[in-house]
Amino acid sequence: MKKILILFCTLFIGVASAQEIRTIKLPELEQLINTNTGSLKVFNFWASWCGPCVKELGYFNALGTQGDTQVILVSLDFPEDIEKARRILEKKEVGLSTYLLDEKDYDKYITSIDNSWSGAIPATLFIDKKGNRYFYESSFEKQELDNVVNKLTSK
């Protein structure tokens, strides 16, 4: 009986801690982006197959768990690869709000995010508390990310 209880608890904890990734379309993403929260919002666009994207996930996770900065991860994986993305987030112990953008028209969502975006990832959209947008099409090291956040939150 004791072994069954331990097995049940182990399975329950594993299920309870599973990283949720919600699939959304462009209008829902635009609504998330355009909703003013009065604090810095950070949207990091990544994919499980992108090495630099996966490397910086920990930096964004740390950012999202401190202060009042809202960090949202947007996976550009194909919907059939959602489990691979979930496993990476669990392995890296990322607990941020995460969405998978399910859109076939790349040009439409890319220009919707930022006109300067070529579509390369990692890419990050920062929206300050006044609603000003700042777009970076590059990967971040932790100190670089901290510097951008400090600059945007001190305005």
Side-chain angles (χ1 to χ4, degrees):
M1 181 65 172
K2 189 175 181 180
K3 288 181 182 179
I4 293 172
L5 183 59
I6 291 170
L7 178 62
F8 176 77
C9 289
T10 304
L11 290 173
F12 179 76
I13 290 169
V15 170
S17 65
Q19 172 67 36
E20 181 183 352
I21 302 176
R22 203 174 116 225
T23 301
I24 61 173
K25 294 288 192 179
L26 182 58
E28 292 171 277
L29 177 60
E30 289 173 330
Q31 184 177 13
L32 287 170
I33 290 171
N34 294 323
T35 301
N36 190 342
T37 60
S39 62
L40 180 65
K41 288 195 308 186
V42 180
F43 291 84
N44 178 252
F45 297 88
W46 70 289
S48 62
W49 47 263
C50 168
C53 299
V54 172
K55 178 184 175 192
E56 68 183 12
L57 285 172
Y59 310 148
F60 285 99
N61 191 57
L63 176 63
T65 58
Q66 63 184 341
D68 66 346
T69 301
Q70 180 184 11
V71 179
I72 297 170
L73 300 177
V74 181
S75 171
L76 300 179
D77 284 290
F78 294 116
E80 58 268 20
D81 294 328
I82 196 168
E83 286 304 317
K84 183 176 180 185
R86 183 177 288 115
R87 283 192 304 273
I88 288 171
L89 294 172
E90 287 176 357
K91 181 179 179 184
K92 296 191 96 26
E93 298 179 353
V94 174
L96 300 171
S97 295
T98 306
Y99 300 90
L100 184 136
L101 182 60
D102 183 14
E103 288 292 344
K104 306 278 187 264
D105 188 349
Y106 305 113
D107 291 331
K108 183 177 178 184
Y109 79 74
I110 287 170
T111 56
S112 172
I113 303 304
D114 194 90
N115 283 327
S116 70
W117 189 12
S118 73
I121 54 173
T124 308
L125 174 65
F126 297 86
I127 305 171
D128 69 14
K129 62 185 174 186
K130 296 176 185 174
N132 298 312
R133 295 166 69 136
Y134 305 88
F135 186 77
Y136 292 78
E137 186 177 35
S138 63
S139 61
F140 283 100
E141 292 297 330
K142 182 167 181 6
Q143 189 59 53
E144 293 170 317
L145 180 60
D146 290 343
N147 289 344
V148 169
V149 168
N150 289 335
K151 183 175 106 178
L152 295 177
T153 55
S154 67
K155 288 185 174 196

